């Protein structure tokens, strides 16, 4: 089982000019704690929509490499996005899903992945060309390294162990929007 905080530090250390779209769950705090990366669009409360925002961004801006930082509970709300992503086949999209088998932020209620649901199998069935399931930090590093250079769309299903996260440290939603748009040269 992967320590998401450790994996997030590795990912942030590898970023150069990629952009990151997070979901609303605890993954966004681990990413923020790993270091300030202004080319990050952190979602506040918009559950399930990170994959769709990432797809839109990847299609509108093929010059950018887009990393979606998702949670199992969030993705389960928007499984249809997997089929749409596979259909549009954005080569510049890396979809990382942190599967802690729970809705950690709201108290750890189990999600469907705690029972029978396999998100990597769903992504494969949806038609993602590159699907990996990773369970150790070494596998995460290897797969992230490949995804940063090989065309996607990638789906990286990360099996993780939930640990307490250091919350806070995020700008307001408006500030996030403005600084992200500035960072990618979009007009307000
Ligand atoms: C539409 C909607 N339903 C419910 C919530 C409440 N909510 C906020 S975070 C969260 C859990 C998110 O789960 P996951 O994406 O797996 O991330 P984790 O909390 O496990 O890191 C829930 C249910 C919400 N914000 N929006």
């Amino acid at each position: 089982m992967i320590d998401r905080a450790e994996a997030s530090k590795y990912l942030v250390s590898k970023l150069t000019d990629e952009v990151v779209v997070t979901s609303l769950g605890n993954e966004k705090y681990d990413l923020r704690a790993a270091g300030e990366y202004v080319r990050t669009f952190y979602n506040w409360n918009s559950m399930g929509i990170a994959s769709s925002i990432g797809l839109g961004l990847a299609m509108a801006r093929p010059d950018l490499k887009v990393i979606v930082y998702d949670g199992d509970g969030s993705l389960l709300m928007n499984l249809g996005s997997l089929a749409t992503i596979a259909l549009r086949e954005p080569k510049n999209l890396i979809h990382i899903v942190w599967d802690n088998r729970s809705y950690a932020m709201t108290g750890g209620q189990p999600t469907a992945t705690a029972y029978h649901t396999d998100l990597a199998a769903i992504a494969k069935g949806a038609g993602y060309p590159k699907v990996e399931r990773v369970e150790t930090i070494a596998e995460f590093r290897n797969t992230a390294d490949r995804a940063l250079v090989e065309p996607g769309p990638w789906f990286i299903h990360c099996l993780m162990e939930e640990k307490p996260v250091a919350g806070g440290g995020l700008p307001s939603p408006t500030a996030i929007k403005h600084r992200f748009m500035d960072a990618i040269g979009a007009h307000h």
Side-chain angles (χ1 to χ4, degrees):
M1 289 288 156
I2 303 174
D3 177 344
R4 186 181 54 206
E6 186 185 0
S8 300
K9 279 190 197 129
Y10 182 76
L11 184 69
V12 169
S13 78
K14 288 281 164 172
L15 296 177
T16 52
D17 57 357
E18 298 81 2
V19 297
V20 186
V21 178
T22 78
S23 189
L24 79 168
N26 280 343
E27 73 288 320
K28 75 177 186 296
Y29 291 119
D30 278 345
L31 193 75
R32 176 63 190 82
E36 175 79 305
Y37 188 69
V38 295
R39 295 165 77 82
T40 306
F41 185 79
Y42 301 97
N43 267 295
W44 278 109
N45 289 334
S46 302
M47 190 169 168
I49 207 160
S51 50
S52 297
I53 293 175
L55 171 62
L57 201 50
M59 288 175 64
R61 291 288 301 268
D63 57 309
L64 299 174
K65 184 153 276 192
V66 179
I67 299 171
V68 172
Y69 224 50
D70 217 346
D72 56 315
S74 296
L75 181 57
L76 285 163
M77 289 193 67
N78 192 9
L79 287 176
S81 68
L82 295 178
T84 309
I85 289 167
L87 174 69
R88 305 308 306 201
E89 220 177 329
K91 301 205 176 338
N92 54 335
L93 187 73
I94 302 171
H95 191 176
I96 297 175
V97 182
W98 287 105
D99 188 354
N100 54 14
R101 300 158 300 284
S102 64
Y103 300 100
M105 191 175 247
T106 48
Q109 303 86 352
T111 63
T113 64
Y115 301 93
H116 311 297
T117 302
D118 178 340
L119 291 172
I122 294 175
K124 206 169 268 178
Y128 272 61
K130 303 262 178 75
V131 178
E132 293 288 344
R133 180 188 286 111
V134 296
E135 301 187 35
T136 65
I137 189 71
E139 289 171 355
F140 178 83
R141 288 192 181 130
N142 289 340
T143 308
D145 287 352
R146 281 180 59 209
L148 286 167
V149 294
E150 289 176 27
W154 279 85
F155 188 90
I156 308 178
H157 182 199
C158 306
L159 297 181
M160 64 165 288
E161 187 187 346
E162 187 66 26
K163 294 189 174 167
V165 288
L170 294 176
S172 71
T174 317
I176 290 167
K177 184 182 99 168
H178 288 149
R179 74 176 199 168
F180 183 76
M181 290 177 79
D182 287 342
I184 64 169
H187 298 295
H188 290 231

